[in-house]
Amino acid sequence: MTPTPTSIPTNLNTTDDSSEASITAVDENQLVLERLGKLKTLKDTQAAGGAVAFPNDFKPEHRALQLHVAHDSDEPQALKDKHITVSVAGRMMLKRLMGKASFATLQDSTSRIQVYVTKEAMGDTLYEEFKHWDLGDIVGATGTLFITKTGELSIHATQLRLLTKSLRPMPDKFHGMKDQEVKYRQRYIDLMMDESTRARFHVRSKAVASLRNFMLEHQFLEVETPMLHPIPGGANAKPFITHHNALDQEMFLRIAPELYLKRLIVGGFERVFEINRNFRNEGMSVRHNPEFTMMEFYAAYWNYLDLMDFTQDLIRHVAMQTMGTTRLSYAGQSVDLASAFERLTMVQAIQKYGPPGLDINDSSALTQALSKLGVDVGKSPSLASLQVMYFEETIEEKLWQPTFICEHPVEISPLARASDTRPDVTERFELYITGREFGNGFSELNDAQDQAQRFAAQVAQKDAGDDEAMFYDHDFVTALEYGMPPTAGCGIGIDRLMMLLTDSASIRDVILFPALKKEH
């Protein structure tokens, strides 16, 4: 198996001899001024017919990881005898000056590699210039491979070029970026400095690719649906509102693609999926970002039982393809994706994980239990809504191993098909892992009249003050009137799945640019 960037040893035998080794003790503005002075010198030289200050004609032919994989195990003399010429480019992360010979470490998108720079090979002028290059500069190097006495693969440079002048000093390599919010806000620096951050987003890319491949292998058609909606729908959530100038109308950022994907099922596509960005104008937490990634998929002639089987297989596939195992560790505890995912109704989950003696069919008992937890149940709540509130407050966090919670009440599931045998509940499930919801799926409601009544009930809730209740979507009801085959659909939260795969505590750790409060 080809090593990932994090599997290559970086036991570099160099130390940082830069005057910027600890910028905490130096005025950063002064360092910026010094670098600006160096850039001015470069541009003045260019104006006088010298080298270009920001050249764009250097084409690296090799990547650091590729070279490590191919040559780390070579015998030093055998490698030297081969006289292998390579060219690389990357950010200079370390530098040590030693008279007529120096070392630099370049970091590209795959790994790091050491470059050996000598006055003999470079000439007096270029070697003197190199001595004044700064950490963070982007450098191109061409030379021959060799292995140092300490056993490190290196490049003996025969050519060296400054490709991009860095005007700001990087954080002290020994202390890095300690402020977590700064890491999120200036992700580009975090990626430069923290190998684990880069590895985490490599995992994310690989996981999304494995999701897509699994869907395609099972004959799903990938589609794209609008992100600007005239009517928000597909989930109970408060939308972001904008205005379309040309149409002169209010528009809403997508809270879910569901109603458009089901229109495609009506149109004759029997299996569709979309990896999509959704926007919900709600609170923020370690599990919530107002802009997030979901995969939604729909299959005609499936029901929610088929969907649970498929979702279980899908998550196992992604874990195996991405991490090489279905037995993961999260927050110091094991997560077993290999065993069959448990299936419980919401009532069964409360009975299993709740306190003994609680009568979950007694509204007064549930109201009293919720009051002790500081939960305001509102006016005249139904028994079903009390059970849902109690489940969310006390049971969710206990569902560590993968668990499908099934048969949600109709009143909180406006798009799900009601059970034929128990019309008060729906053929719906939510998937929980590590105490968090990862997916939501159900047999779809395809009775146009029933759907119209459900929408009307949602409108009544909105009129009563529920700003997360759905709008009435007349066109979707019209689509159902043409006839939608029996269908099941599911949405999987990709960001939360990435948190599990990478053992990340916060959703911000797996989103490259999470939402943050504006800096003043």
Side-chain angles (χ1 to χ4, degrees), residues 397-412:
E397 63 187 23
K398 299 176 182 178
L399 303 176
W400 191 266
Q401 298 302 331
T403 305
F404 290 115
I405 298 298
C406 311
E407 301 181 7
H408 294 57
V410 168
E411 63 190 75
I412 65 165

Side-chain angles (χ1 to χ4, degrees), residues 12-23 26 31 34-35 38 92-105 127 130-136 170 172-174:
L12 302 173
N13 62 342
T14 58
T15 58
D16 178 10
D17 194 38
S18 166
S19 61
E20 299 172 8
S22 180
I23 65 171
V26 182
L31 294 176
E34 290 176 7
R35 293 190 178 206
K38 293 177 183 180
M92 188 161 62
M93 304 299 292
L94 299 168
K95 185 175 73 167
R96 186 171 70 171
L97 302 176
M98 303 185 303
K100 296 182 179 180
S102 300
F103 286 97
T105 298
Y127 187 76
F130 165 75
K131 288 168 60 177
H132 296 283
W133 294 353
D134 297 300
L135 298 185
M170 297 187 300
D172 176 359
K173 68 184 179 70
F174 294 106

Side-chain angles (χ1 to χ4, degrees), residues 258-474:
E258 178 170 343
L259 301 186
Y260 284 92
L261 292 173
K262 287 194 283 193
R263 284 173 170 91
L264 299 179
I265 298 290
V266 171
F269 291 144
E270 293 185 353
R271 295 186 182 187
V272 296
F273 79 100
E274 181 174 10
I275 297 175
N276 57 89
R277 302 289 286 176
N278 293 332
F279 306 84
R280 298 183 184 178
N281 199 356
E282 301 170 338
M284 295 170 59
S285 72
V286 295
R287 291 183 282 178
H288 299 90
N289 194 67
E291 176 183 4
F292 62 97
T293 306
M294 293 276 288
M295 184 179 79
E296 288 207 17
F297 57 97
Y298 294 81
Y301 311 109
W302 283 14
N303 60 32
Y304 80 124
L305 299 175
D306 302 310
L307 208 56
M308 282 191 278
D309 291 338
F310 184 82
T311 301
Q312 178 176 270
D313 291 343
L314 171 63
I315 289 180
R316 286 174 176 166
H317 169 85
V318 173
M320 183 59 69
Q321 291 294 311
T322 307
M323 309 306 296
T325 180
T326 53
R327 299 185 186 277
L328 307 176
S329 176
Y330 186 80
Q333 299 185 55
S334 64
V335 178
D336 180 12
L337 302 178
S339 301
F341 294 7
E342 187 171 16
R343 300 184 182 187
L344 300 170
T345 66
M346 193 173 291
V347 169
Q348 288 171 338
I350 297 173
Q351 290 172 334
K352 179 174 180 177
Y353 294 101
L358 175 65
D359 187 351
I360 60 174
N361 293 310
D362 184 334
S363 296
S364 297
L366 284 173
T367 299
Q368 185 177 6
L370 286 165
S371 296
K372 289 181 178 178
L373 296 171
V375 177
D376 181 5
V377 300
K379 297 180 179 179
S380 304
S382 66
L383 175 62
S385 64
L386 288 170
Q387 290 172 341
V388 171
M389 282 188 277
Y390 189 81
F391 171 82
E392 292 176 344
E393 285 293 325
T394 66
I395 306 302
E396 279 187 7
E397 63 187 23
K398 299 176 182 178
L399 303 176
W400 191 266
Q401 298 302 331
T403 305
F404 290 115
I405 298 298
C406 311
E407 301 181 7
H408 294 57
V410 168
E411 63 190 75
I412 65 165
S413 309
L415 299 171
R417 174 190 175 93
S419 168
D420 290 336
T421 57
R422 294 183 56 204
D424 59 323
V425 298
T426 57
E427 294 185 352
R428 177 185 172 189
F429 68 82
E430 289 179 308
L431 173 61
Y432 288 88
I433 310 174
T434 64
R436 298 167 179 173
E437 180 193 342
F438 276 66
N440 179 29
F442 39 83
S443 302
E444 300 295 337
L445 180 60
N446 61 346
D447 180 336
Q449 294 177 327
D450 192 353
Q451 182 64 81
Q453 292 172 359
R454 304 270 196 100
F455 276 150
Q458 288 286 301
V459 170
Q461 291 181 31
K462 184 173 286 294
D463 291 343
D466 184 353
D467 58 6
E468 293 187 356
M470 292 186 187
F471 289 72
Y472 195 112
D473 191 330
H474 291 275

